[in-house]
Amino acid sequence: MNLSTFAFIITGVLLNAAAQLLLKAGTNALGGAIHLTMENWFQTGIKVATQLPILGGLACYAVSLVVWIIGLSRTDVTIAYPMLSLGYVVSAAGAWLFLGEAVSLQRLAAIGVIMVGVALLART
């Protein structure tokens, strides 16, 4: 995989992770868990659809899809798709830094395993 292909793949991964973090920030701004009923589904949908972080997350998803398609056109899916695992690493770091979520020792160990796997994959 050459540098430009790697850049498209990593950009897709980073945008996907940013989308997750923005979507979670948007749900946090709503006050927690979303409970849909027949009576509140429309009002809840409007509240969700008007949260700026959620709109930003959806925009990140849209751009990541375009970038990802370009990356996939340049490399094998057997190399590109496992790179999405880096999204777990980025999302965990972002959730810890920006959302105040806890990252336990067990989660750190799992992140380390993911990073080793991606490093082995990237060397092929």
Side-chain angles (χ1 to χ4, degrees):
M1 178 181 332
N2 64 33
L3 186 58
S4 69
T5 302
F6 184 74
F8 278 109
I9 296 297
I10 290 300
T11 300
V13 169
L14 293 175
L15 284 167
N16 195 300
Q20 290 297 319
L21 295 169
L22 286 165
L23 292 174
K24 179 59 178 170
T27 61
N28 286 351
L30 290 171
I34 297 171
H35 300 284
L36 289 178
T37 64
M38 292 296 288
E39 292 79 30
N40 77 356
W41 71 268
F42 186 76
Q43 292 117 349
T44 302
I46 295 297
K47 283 166 70 174
V48 168
T50 57
Q51 286 294 315
L52 287 180
I54 290 176
L55 294 173
L58 293 173
C60 283
Y61 269 138
V63 174
S64 76
L65 180 62
V66 172
V67 170
W68 187 254
I69 289 169
I70 294 168
L72 279 178
S73 74
R74 298 171 178 217
T75 192
D76 295 337
V77 73
T78 56
I79 296 202
Y81 191 68
M83 293 285 190
L84 282 176
S85 299
L86 290 174
Y88 296 121
V89 177
V90 174
S91 294
W96 175 70
L97 285 170
F98 302 118
L99 302 175
E101 294 185 9
V103 180
S104 66
L105 188 58
Q106 184 175 357
R107 287 182 188 175
L108 287 174
I111 288 168
V113 169
I114 290 169
M115 292 174 68
V116 167
V118 171
L120 287 172
L121 179 69
R123 294 185 61 169
T124 61

